[in-house]
Amino acid sequence: MTLLAWAVAWILDYLLGDPHHWPHPVRWIGALITFVQRLVRRCCRSETALSIGGGLMWLSVVGITWGVAWGLLHIANAIHPAFGWIVEVWMIFTVLAARSLDDAARDVEQPLRAGNLEESRKKLAWIVGRDTSQLHMPQINRAVVETVAENTVDGVIAPLFFLLLGGAPLAMAYKAVNTLDSMVGYKHEKYRAIGKVSARMDDLANFIPARISWLLLSLAAWLCRKNAVNALRIGWRDRYNHSSPNCGWSEATVAGALGIRLGGPNEYFGQRIDKPWLGDASREIAVDDISGTIQLMWVASTLALMLFALVRIIWSGAF
């Protein structure tokens, strides 16, 4: 029944994504983070105290998320196994973000194809942390490709990885880890102390999934008739040309598969950040590369589902 739950949740994400009017655990996790962060800032004044408080915040949010998910699943199964299965499917469905990522990228791509840069910049600002107000078409293309490549890991591959390790409750706990990083894991002054633990733990949580993504995206490149050899080569060569220990793996692999260059200088919170380049510019980046990256994301994510399901079957058979 567990593997069937994985498959059904995957299909639901493909068909439905994240309808805005539906209740979603990530929003509840976000509200919990906001509440705990206020408590920490109220009680902790010095940088050292904020760092300790940030660690306690991480433990509280992740622990509560896992505990609530485990408790709900346990209660649902006690009521009836079929009800427990439905709750499990719902939890898995909510931690997967492939359709949401696809939709967000398409929302930027469509006005870009129509030549409406202002609308494209506006939609892009919803999904990236950089200043989008002055970006031109190649820079917008690059930002979307980077976002899809990066979030292939933490939006799909990593949740599936933790689903394999510890079922729906651990996948929910990973989502809390990732949400903490998204909300407080910044390096600028406001979050440097309180978000330090959240940023480090997100790096740790994505360590293995990011490296798996290198192989899965390269295989996806071959299946999609893109440059799989270059994906493997560039993914390995430029894997550390990024401030994150994990993001370079997927972004460099996609750059290699498409034959484009990602990274480079960008504006974040009014500050220019000069990033290393990922990939070789064998041609100029184009709007079609957004669709190409989305295709790679879907294929690699499907391969991840198949791989982890196979591991689960082998593991169950061995024990």
Side-chain angles (χ1 to χ4, degrees), residues 34-253:
T34 300
F35 173 74
V36 177
Q37 184 184 177
R38 285 175 182 163
L39 289 179
V40 170
R41 290 191 182 278
R42 192 176 302 163
C43 299
C44 306
R45 299 297 181 183
S46 69
E47 186 166 334
T48 301
L50 278 173
S51 295
I52 295 170
L56 293 174
M57 177 178 68
W58 186 91
L59 285 171
S60 299
V61 171
V62 175
I64 289 171
T65 301
W66 182 89
V68 170
W70 183 89
L72 283 175
L73 203 55
H74 185 74
I75 292 169
N77 277 306
I79 294 171
H80 195 282
F83 183 52
W85 183 82
I86 291 171
V87 171
E88 181 185 14
V89 169
W90 172 74
M91 286 185 183
I92 299 169
F93 161 60
T94 61
V95 302
L96 298 175
R99 171 54 60 190
S100 297
L101 184 57
D102 183 317
D103 290 343
R106 300 287 187 194
D107 284 344
V108 181
E109 178 191 23
Q110 289 170 5
L112 196 61
R113 287 188 181 278
N116 189 344
L117 283 182
E118 192 59 38
E119 180 67 13
S120 190
R121 290 167 181 155
K122 177 182 174 183
K123 294 294 179 65
L124 179 62
W126 295 356
I127 60 174
V128 300
R130 71 193 69 174
D131 179 14
T132 65
S133 61
Q134 303 299 318
L135 296 184
H136 299 293
M137 186 175 288
Q139 296 167 311
I140 295 172
N141 287 331
R142 199 169 76 226
V144 179
V145 169
E146 288 171 0
T147 300
V148 174
E150 176 186 344
N151 285 281
T152 297
V153 178
D154 55 22
V156 192
I157 295 176
L160 289 173
F161 177 73
F162 285 97
L163 181 65
L164 168 68
L165 293 184
L170 192 61
M172 291 291 295
Y174 166 78
K175 211 64 181 176
V177 172
N178 193 239
T179 306
L180 277 158
D181 180 63
S182 297
M183 291 182 66
V184 302
Y186 297 104
K187 294 181 179 179
H188 60 79
E189 194 58 36
K190 182 179 179 181
Y191 296 106
R192 191 186 311 277
I194 199 170
K196 184 187 300 182
V197 171
S198 294
R200 297 273 176 84
M201 294 307 292
D202 185 73
D203 287 343
L204 181 62
N206 285 305
F207 186 87
I208 294 175
R211 284 142 184 83
I212 293 174
S213 75
W214 169 54
L215 298 173
L216 293 179
L217 284 166
S218 296
L219 180 55
W222 178 71
L223 292 171
C224 296
R225 298 186 177 182
K226 302 188 187 300
N227 196 330
V229 173
N230 218 34
L232 272 173
R233 183 179 67 85
I234 299 295
W236 181 262
R237 188 194 72 185
D238 293 349
R239 65 196 188 279
Y240 293 132
N241 285 2
H242 201 288
S243 58
S244 164
N246 299 317
C247 294
W249 288 87
S250 57
E251 291 185 26
T253 304

Side-chain angles (χ1 to χ4, degrees), residues 251-308:
E251 291 185 26
T253 304
V254 167
L258 299 176
I260 59 176
R261 194 167 65 164
L262 302 175
N266 284 298
E267 293 282 335
Y268 293 89
F269 303 102
Q271 181 180 1
R272 179 185 169 90
I273 304 295
D274 289 310
K275 295 182 176 181
W277 290 101
L278 300 156
D280 298 325
S282 59
R283 62 174 177 81
E284 289 296 319
I285 193 168
V287 68
D288 286 339
D289 290 316
I290 296 176
S291 296
T293 307
I294 292 171
Q295 183 185 37
L296 288 172
M297 180 271 293
W298 276 113
V299 175
S301 301
T302 305
L303 290 171
L305 177 68
M306 295 168 61
L307 171 64
F308 297 146

